[in-house]
Amino acid sequence: MAHQTGIAELDRKFGGGIPPGTLVAVEAPPRAQREPLLCAGAEKRATKYFTTIRSEGTIEKQFERAPVDAAVESISEIHPESASETIPEELSGLGDGQDFIIDVIDPIEASVDQQTYATFLNDLTERLRDSDSVGYLHGYASDKISTQRQVTLDIADFVWRLVPVTSRGEINYMLEIPKTNGLNLPAKDRYLEISIGTGVDIDQTRNIG
């Protein structure tokens, strides 16, 4: 059974949600409010949250302000240089349908060599498939893609990108979905105009076909 993303229109396009055992790479500009997109699914399933740049207290306040009852089971501050060991250890008991978020992945990408990083991501995907869970890796969008970011995108099953669009002085976002392993998503459904506030809304009337 597919796991709901917490975003109704996106789940409809995905045929009910994301396939179990999926690793999702989410790229967003540094100043974009990406939390509602990352955490929408936490209302549906228990989630482990790993933070590499913000404190546990900051993340807790973020969820206190959320309009939904996000089922965040634990929040862990992770040192990037030890992340390839500590995160798999903390996920060793990942339960059935229990998800995780790593926010942000950039410091981990920069802290280890390519082989260690690839092994780390492959270990995560194995744990996800064993537990029928979903994992989200948030990375900052950049014009220059690094070697390690390419590894992230290659190993991830899904790739979501928040692309800023300026209209009449206001910044809105397109959600680009260039990669959906195991799911045949038509081209017309791979570009969605979204509004991000306390939640995520998709504007069906202005999507690119």
Side-chain angles (χ1 to χ4, degrees), residues 73-91:
E73 188 172 88
S74 64
I75 301 171
S76 302
E77 293 181 42
I78 297 296
H79 194 287
E81 291 183 358
S82 61
S84 61
E85 296 178 0
T86 56
I87 291 178
E89 286 175 1
E90 292 205 30
L91 293 178

Side-chain angles (χ1 to χ4, degrees), residues 38 47-54 59 63 72 74-79 83 86-92 94 99-105 108 120 124 136-138:
L38 280 175
T47 300
K48 291 179 177 290
Y49 196 111
F50 300 98
T51 174
T52 61
I53 62 173
R54 294 185 292 176
I59 302 301
F63 284 109
V72 177
S74 64
I75 301 171
S76 302
E77 293 181 42
I78 297 296
H79 194 287
T86 56
I87 291 178
E89 286 175 1
E90 292 205 30
L91 293 178
S92 59
L94 196 66
D99 298 347
F100 69 79
I101 296 168
I102 301 176
D103 179 29
V104 292
I105 197 69
I108 303 175
F120 164 64
L124 294 184
Y136 296 88
L137 310 176
H138 166 238

Side-chain angles (χ1 to χ4, degrees), residues 12-88:
R12 187 186 69 79
K13 291 181 182 297
F14 289 164
I18 297 178
T22 295
L23 185 65
V24 183
V26 181
E27 290 192 308
R31 295 183 181 179
Q33 188 178 355
R34 77 273 186 179
E35 289 85 2
L37 181 63
L38 280 175
C39 301
E43 182 186 6
K44 305 295 182 180
R45 292 175 306 283
T47 300
K48 291 179 177 290
Y49 196 111
F50 300 98
T51 174
T52 61
I53 62 173
R54 294 185 292 176
S55 70
E56 179 180 339
T58 298
I59 302 301
E60 287 176 347
K61 288 181 180 178
Q62 167 191 313
F63 284 109
E64 287 172 2
R65 294 193 297 266
V68 297
D69 185 18
V72 177
E73 188 172 88
S74 64
I75 301 171
S76 302
E77 293 181 42
I78 297 296
H79 194 287
E81 291 183 358
S82 61
S84 61
E85 296 178 0
T86 56
I87 291 178

Side-chain angles (χ1 to χ4, degrees), residues 10 20 22 49 61 72 113 115 158 163 176 185 194:
L10 203 57
T22 295
Y49 196 111
K61 288 181 180 178
V72 177
D113 62 83
Q115 185 56 55
F158 276 39
V163 181
E176 179 186 1
L185 190 67
I194 67 175

